[in-house]
Amino acid sequence: MENLSRKLWHHLAEEDVLAALKSHHQEGLDTNEAAERLRLFGPNAISSQATQSPLKRFLLQFHNPLIYILLVAGVVTLLLSEYIDSSVIFAVVFINAIVGFMQESRAESAINSLRKMLSSHAMVIRNGQKMRIPATELVPGDLITLTTGDKVPADARLIQVRDLQIDESALTGESVPVLKECVRLDQDTILADRINMAYASTLVTYGQAEAVIIATGDDTETGRIASMISSAVSLETPLTKKIHSFSQWLLWIILALAGLTFIAGLFHGASWVDNFMAAIALAVAAIPEGLPAVVTITLAIGVRRMASRHAIIRKLPAVETLGSTTIICSDKTGTLTENQMTVQQLWTQGAVHQFTGTGYDPTGSLSTTDDDSSSDLPVSTRQCLLAGVLCNDSHLVQKDSHWQVEGDPTEGALITSAIKAGLDREQLVRQHKRLDVIPFESDRQYMATMNVWTPDQHIILLKGSLEQILKRCCDQLNTDGQSAPLAEKEIIAAAEHLASQGLRVLALAQCLVPSDQTNLDAFRQQEQAAQLSFTGLQAMIDPPRQEAIEAVRHCQAAGIQVKMITGDHALTAQAIARQIGILPPSEAGSSGVLTGQQLATLSDHALLNEAQSTAVFARVAPEQKLKLVTALQAREQVVAMTGDGVNDAPALKQADIGVAMGITGTEVAKEAADMVLTDDNFASIAAAVEEGRNVFDNLVKFISWILPTNIGQGLVILVAVVLGLTLPVLPVQALWLNMTTAIFLGLALAFEPKESGLMDRPPRQPNSPILSTEMVSRILTLSTLLLAGAFGLFQWSLSQGQPEEVARTLAVTLFVVVQSVFLFNCRSLSRSVLKTPAFSNPWIWVGIAIMSLAQLAFIYTPWMNLLFQSAPLAAEHWLLMLSYGFFVLLFIEGEKTIWRSRHQKTAMSN
């Protein structure tokens, strides 16, 4: 058979499709041919993708400069016979590797979820006989039958349909089931508009059909999405990028300083072994061993905080990524909207009514043009609502305090609107018993019922498209229920006005007949005749979440662009975007919406520009969502993508952070995402962004706090070697300083509460360094102060004839004192320590207390003196150290004041 994947099946006539597939519209395939095609095309299942071996994925977790630094530290401490410290360092490295390893199988899990979505069995016609077979045995050319409740087992071209409606929301984003027809479509018809096709994993909500399979397994649209998930590149997060760059920078500086120390020692005539040990001492002192552990713990704290705000993090760095986000690309259906159709307006002659409330929850009311209560509705309004209730096959049910529709979402919205207006649906159904029905069919575009009205009369009720209802009307009801001339132009104008707001418009009509007519046979015979009275229009939409409107406003205030990428219609997307605030109020000549069909015609360069400048993308295919995310990333944007459907999965994985919906989201979307919202609420994203920014702030605070210790120790050792003097800090003492201060003091900064004005800042530039010029200056300043203080006190102590052990203990303890003082400065990188609430973070005080006890043990316990070559200190030593610590506190506060003054002058000049 010729290549089937290149066929435009939606463009071919039914007979041409069958001919191309060498199938028959009644007999289907014969069993032998089906077996041969199964051998040729393979089973109807999504293939497993080739993956790296578990061992290779585990080893790749160590491929990171920061890990290299830790491994060097572990080896050095091992060579120094410091087995406990070495074990701790290697344990941190190993735990980090395990966490990373466990995250690597996300893409494979997403593909497995796609496999599960395919139907397990299918009803197929072979040799003219219907049979039920495993869906994996379907082949191109098989003739299948579909009925209400079936999951479509493979991509198929429809051959015959009867009132067929398919829910394609997970694949295309369409918010309501799609009415299918057997028609020939244009070649360039996009996937979401191919009404003559049925796609694998979508759900038949109504009707029956026969269809011929045109693609199975990997060749289906679902299979193509699986391929896109596996090929989408998982990018480094802003945090991992910055830590990677920072670690490389730090690695080269440490190596350069260690090399300089070695050369300086040779210059002074020291032995190779002594020089080597001095270089190792400097490397151990300068390596921030506690950094990876504190980064991981800080992110884990962010995970816990986000979980309390309905955001479950599946990958630790995603916590900070949201704080770096510059653009949020959101799906519409179920994310920004309620995913529940809602009647918003009702139009009758002389009146337009508004409904309050959203979704299927009947709580709400109908506003009228006068002061009448709901029991005194205008007759035309009541009859319009009545038609929506009685000409209806669906039901509203309440499950776990949530209202749901059993049946068609459009009919659910009609029932809700009637209840809001005060009608009792159950009483009306009992009072006006249904006698006959003409089900909705695509060629008719309406549904009709006959119901008991009075003892002498029955009533025929219709709902459907405006065109089909209007041409069957001879007059219309006025507000008093009397017949009035049919104002066709006025009705059409009203419908067009409602449609321009993105509303789906249904027309309703009625006709009273004598009670001796007990069925619709007479109506069927004269259905084209104008015999009805037009009652009104009901206009509905899947409304925006109210909390999403506020969340979008918060994101925009924080400098984050919000874009809508949806498979729904352009007018609907535009209306929702304007209500939410993604688009400005209507402006003549500017829609702000780009469709998938328009995107397909753009060059790569034009796509980059449109992706950046356009706020709403409608009727887009899954691969176009992926292209849009990639185009934005090419502009160095940090992109968060939200979604809940299968069609969102590739873009969720490609985005810097993928955000899936926990309630309505498919398993495929959840597995591809980095974060899952447990309440399906876009508003939770704004809260997560705030938490993410706080996490990054606290990490910067920690790095700004810890580096002066490492650089200061390195400088002390370097200066001593260059001057040919005794080392003020031994390697084992440097390890003590680095590990204890990082855990007991520095870790407290991870619990620092967010500062005011956090969401008033613009997003960080993606290419900005992890430390600003101001912070680098402050780190170097404090490092110099530590060098001066520690080296000065060490030399003073020696000059007083005190032992080296006492002098070194004095130098090491000065580092602890200064770092404890500097901890208060780092609680805010810009505000004065006096303006930071002293007890807003109690862990600061707990950390200082524990560190003080540990350092006292280091100084005064004999076994610690033996282990770390320390010695007890006298009262004068403490007086000198505490005085110097107070001096450092005042000095850094003065430096902060200077920087604040500069920022204020810059802001005023701008």
Side-chain angles (χ1 to χ4, degrees):
M1 296 178 68
E2 61 180 298
N3 191 339
L4 300 181
S5 63
R6 296 182 180 179
K7 290 280 187 182
L8 298 173
W9 299 108
H10 60 279
H11 179 59
L12 300 178
E14 288 85 351
E15 56 271 18
D16 294 332
V17 172
L18 290 166
L21 293 165
K22 298 180 182 179
S23 187
H24 191 272
H25 72 285
Q26 291 179 333
E27 299 292 322
L29 298 176
D30 65 52
T31 306
N32 292 334
E33 176 63 18
E36 176 61 23
R37 293 189 185 188
L38 185 61
R39 185 192 65 78
L40 179 64
F41 293 101
N44 177 34
I46 295 172
S47 302
S48 300
Q49 302 292 324
T51 58
Q52 294 173 331
S53 69
L55 177 60
K56 185 175 181 180
R57 282 192 284 131
F58 181 73
L59 292 177
L60 284 174
Q61 305 306 316
F62 299 92
H63 183 54
N64 183 290
L66 190 58
I67 301 301
Y68 297 158
I69 294 174
L70 276 182
L71 289 173
V72 169
V75 171
V76 169
T77 52
L78 189 62
L79 292 174
L80 292 171
S81 300
E82 297 297 332
Y83 301 115
I84 296 177
D85 294 322
S86 181
S87 299
V88 170
I89 293 171
F90 284 128
V92 169
V93 173
F94 190 71
I95 291 171
N96 284 339
I98 291 175
V99 172
F101 175 76
M102 292 175 63
Q103 298 295 330
E104 288 292 329
S105 59
R106 288 187 307 131
E108 289 81 356
S109 298
I111 294 171
N112 287 333
S113 295
L114 278 168
R115 292 194 198 102
K116 295 174 185 176
M117 288 189 66
L118 295 178
S119 177
S120 57
H121 287 84
M123 189 64 72
V124 65
I125 300 175
R126 289 181 179 171
N127 300 323
Q129 300 294 320
K130 282 188 177 181
M131 58 183 73
R132 187 174 178 82
I133 66 170
T136 54
E137 296 180 10
L138 288 174
V139 296
D142 260 330
L143 194 64
I144 62 170
T145 63
L146 299 172
T147 189
T148 303
D150 286 349
K151 186 176 284 186
V152 181
D155 289 0
R157 172 67 156 83
L158 299 171
I159 302 300
Q160 292 181 1
V161 298
R162 178 178 173 80
D163 309 329
L164 183 68
Q165 297 182 41
I166 297 181
D167 180 0
E168 297 180 339
S169 60
L171 185 65
T172 66
E174 179 71 63
S175 55
V176 295
V178 178
L179 182 66
K180 296 293 185 176
E181 300 181 40
C182 289
V183 294
R184 185 175 177 181
L185 301 173
D186 293 337
Q187 290 188 29
D188 57 354
T189 304
I190 63 173
L191 185 143
D193 291 334
R194 294 176 187 172
I195 58 174
N196 59 6
M197 301 289 295
Y199 292 105
S201 80
T202 59
L203 183 66
V204 178
T205 60
Y206 192 80
Q208 298 85 36
E210 286 187 3
V212 60
I213 300 296
I214 56 94
T216 59
D218 293 336
D219 294 327
T220 63
E221 290 297 325
T222 303
R224 289 176 59 247
I225 290 174
S227 176
M228 284 189 282
I229 292 174
S230 62
S231 62
V233 179
S234 291
L235 300 179
E236 286 188 304
T237 69
L239 178 65
T240 55
K241 287 178 183 176
K242 288 179 170 63
I243 291 291
H244 182 86
S245 174
F246 171 73
S247 301
Q248 284 186 322
W249 171 78
L250 191 60
L251 178 62
W252 288 114
I253 288 179
I254 290 171
L255 291 176
L257 290 176
L260 181 61
T261 301
F262 186 82
I263 294 171
L266 289 178
F267 179 78
H268 285 286
S271 68
W272 283 77
V273 174
D274 289 342
N275 288 335
F276 182 69
M277 293 307 296
I280 288 177
L282 184 141
V284 170
I287 291 173
E289 288 89 353
L291 179 58
V294 172
V295 167
T296 301
I297 294 170
T298 302
L299 293 174
I301 292 169
V303 167
R304 180 176 57 80
R305 287 177 173 173
M306 286 187 180
S308 68
R309 302 181 78 170
H310 309 292
I312 303 300
I313 301 298
R314 300 184 67 249
K315 189 175 181 182
L316 275 182
V319 176
E320 184 276 333
T321 308
L322 269 174
S324 310
T325 299
T326 58
I327 292 179
I328 298 176
C329 296
S330 177
D331 187 33
K332 178 185 72 68
T333 306
T335 307
L336 292 169
T337 65
E338 298 280 358
N339 200 18
Q340 295 184 344
M341 295 300 289
T342 305
V343 175
Q344 291 192 335
Q345 296 188 45
L346 186 151
W347 184 95
T348 60
Q349 186 186 40
V352 177
H353 307 274
Q354 306 283 341
F355 288 90
T356 62
T358 60
Y360 302 127
D361 187 344
T363 304
S365 62
L366 172 70
S367 64
T368 61
T369 54
D370 50 38
D371 296 327
D372 289 341
S373 66
S374 59
S375 60
D376 297 317
L377 288 171
V379 176
S380 57
T381 300
R382 190 179 190 281
Q383 293 304 107
C384 183
L385 292 165
L386 183 78
V389 167
L390 297 179
C391 190
N392 195 312
D393 287 328
S394 299
H395 300 276
L396 286 184
V397 293
Q398 191 174 19
K399 295 181 180 178
D400 300 325
S401 74
H402 294 287
W403 287 89
Q404 301 174 3
V405 62
E406 290 183 350
D408 184 77
T410 299
E411 292 189 333
L414 294 174
I415 296 171
T416 302
S417 67
I419 297 174
K420 288 178 180 178
L423 302 187
D424 187 331
R425 199 250 177 157
E426 300 303 323
Q427 179 182 343
L428 290 172
V429 170
R430 289 193 302 269
Q431 182 180 347
H432 303 294
K433 180 182 177 182
R434 181 182 292 185
L435 302 174
D436 199 3
V437 61
I438 299 176
F440 187 93
E441 289 189 2
S442 56
D443 57 344
R444 279 195 296 265
Q445 294 288 306
Y446 71 83
M447 174 183 178
T449 63
M450 176 179 281
N451 299 71
V452 173
W453 187 242
T454 67
D456 299 324
Q457 288 182 310
H458 292 161
I459 189 169
I460 298 174
L461 300 167
L462 268 74
K463 76 170 190 295
S465 70
L466 177 64
E467 180 184 4
Q468 295 299 321
I469 298 298
L470 204 55
K471 72 180 185 180
R472 290 171 171 79
C473 292
C474 58
D475 57 28
Q476 67 187 75
L477 293 186
N478 61 22
T479 54
D480 297 325
Q482 302 299 314
S483 295
L486 184 66
E488 188 170 344
K489 290 184 178 179
E490 183 183 355
I491 294 170
I492 292 173
E496 289 177 347
H497 175 70
L498 293 169
S500 70
Q501 301 173 49
L503 299 170
R504 184 183 182 192
V505 181
L506 277 184
L508 301 106
Q510 68 176 50
C511 175
L512 295 174
V513 296
S515 59
D516 57 1
Q517 287 190 31
T518 58
N519 56 51
L520 290 168
D521 290 346
F523 177 79
R524 288 186 179 95
Q525 294 171 5
Q526 305 177 48
E527 67 166 333
Q528 297 297 327
Q531 54 185 310
L532 303 173
S533 296
F534 184 84
T535 56
L537 304 169
Q538 291 200 50
M540 63 192 68
I541 198 170
D542 179 14
R545 294 173 179 266
Q546 291 303 307
E547 58 270 29
I549 298 174
E550 184 70 11
V552 167
R553 188 183 66 79
H554 278 306
C555 288
Q556 291 171 338
I560 301 169
Q561 296 182 56
V562 181
K563 296 179 183 289
M564 180 191 293
I565 304 179
T566 178
D568 215 339
H569 293 280
L571 272 178
T572 304
Q574 181 189 65
I576 294 295
R578 283 184 171 147
Q579 291 180 47
I580 288 178
I582 294 176
L583 285 177
S586 181
E587 297 176 6
S590 175
S591 70
V593 181
L594 204 62
T595 65
Q597 201 164 7
Q598 294 169 317
L599 279 174
T601 64
L602 296 177
S603 65
D604 290 343
H605 179 71
L607 178 63
L608 289 176
N609 293 331
E610 291 294 344
Q612 184 71 32
S613 61
T614 305
V616 179
F617 301 88
R619 305 304 274 175
V620 295
E623 62 269 21
Q624 290 177 320
K625 290 188 177 186
L626 187 60
K627 284 183 178 180
L628 285 168
V629 171
T630 306
L632 290 169
Q633 289 171 333
R635 288 293 187 94
E636 297 188 344
Q637 300 288 350
V638 179
V639 182
M641 171 74 188
T642 76
D644 58 359
V646 176
N647 60 329
D648 299 319
L652 287 174
K653 185 168 184 287
Q654 174 67 36
D656 295 277
I657 177 166
V659 184
M661 303 297 111
I663 299 174
T664 60
T666 60
E667 287 303 313
V668 183
K670 294 175 189 176
E671 291 292 342
D674 301 289
M675 184 175 86
V676 179
L677 301 182
T678 59
D679 59 353
D680 284 16
N681 195 335
F682 184 87
S684 297
I685 297 176
V689 168
E690 187 175 39
E691 290 294 346
R693 289 188 174 189
N694 187 48
V695 164
F696 188 82
D697 271 10
N698 289 347
L699 285 173
V700 172
K701 290 173 184 177
F702 173 78
I703 293 171
S704 301
W705 173 85
I706 197 173
L707 283 187
T709 299
N710 299 111
I711 297 174
Q713 289 180 79
L715 289 175
V716 165
I717 293 171
L718 178 61
V719 170
V721 173
V722 168
L723 297 179
L725 302 174
T726 306
L727 292 181
V729 178
L730 296 175
V732 69
Q733 294 170 340
L735 275 174
W736 165 264
L737 264 179
N738 291 351
M739 298 304 291
T740 55
T741 56
I743 300 301
F744 298 146
L745 295 180
L747 186 58
L749 290 172
F751 296 91
E752 197 64 31
K754 51 185 171 288
E755 297 185 41
S756 59
L758 190 62
M759 289 296 284
D760 295 330
R761 310 176 195 165
R764 295 187 309 276
Q765 292 299 316
N767 56 356
S768 63
I770 198 168
L771 294 173
S772 65
T773 303
E774 176 182 347
M775 294 319 303
V776 171
S777 172
R778 188 171 301 163
I779 289 168
L780 293 177
T781 298
L782 188 62
S783 300
T784 304
L785 290 172
L786 281 169
L787 166 64
F791 197 82
L793 284 179
F794 177 76
Q795 292 300 322
W796 172 83
S797 180
L798 291 179
S799 70
Q800 297 298 309
Q802 297 171 355
E804 288 184 1
E805 289 80 7
V806 172
R808 287 192 174 115
T809 304
L810 186 58
V812 170
T813 308
L814 180 74
F815 274 93
V816 174
V817 170
V818 172
Q819 285 299 87
S820 299
V821 169
F822 187 48
L823 193 65
F824 289 100
N825 288 106
C826 286
R827 294 191 62 197
S828 175
L829 299 179
S830 57
R831 289 184 301 166
S832 167
V833 68
L834 298 176
K835 293 187 177 180
T836 304
F839 297 100
S840 60
N841 181 6
W843 290 105
I844 294 287
W845 298 99
V846 172
I848 290 175
I850 295 175
M851 186 68 234
S852 298
L853 292 174
Q855 191 62 23
L856 288 172
F858 175 89
I859 298 169
Y860 295 110
T861 58
W863 68 273
M864 293 281 273
N865 294 157
L866 179 64
L867 184 62
F868 290 102
Q869 300 180 45
S870 58
L873 298 177
E876 62 174 339
H877 297 137
W878 284 105
L879 182 61
L880 287 171
M881 290 186 296
L882 293 174
S883 298
Y884 194 78
F886 184 69
F887 164 75
V888 169
L889 176 67
L890 295 178
F891 192 96
I892 297 299
E893 280 299 302
E895 187 257 5
K896 272 189 184 181
T897 303
I898 294 172
W899 278 103
R900 280 198 302 272
S901 176
R902 290 182 182 178
H903 290 317
Q904 289 172 357
K905 289 180 180 178
T906 303
M908 291 177 63
S909 63
N910 291 336

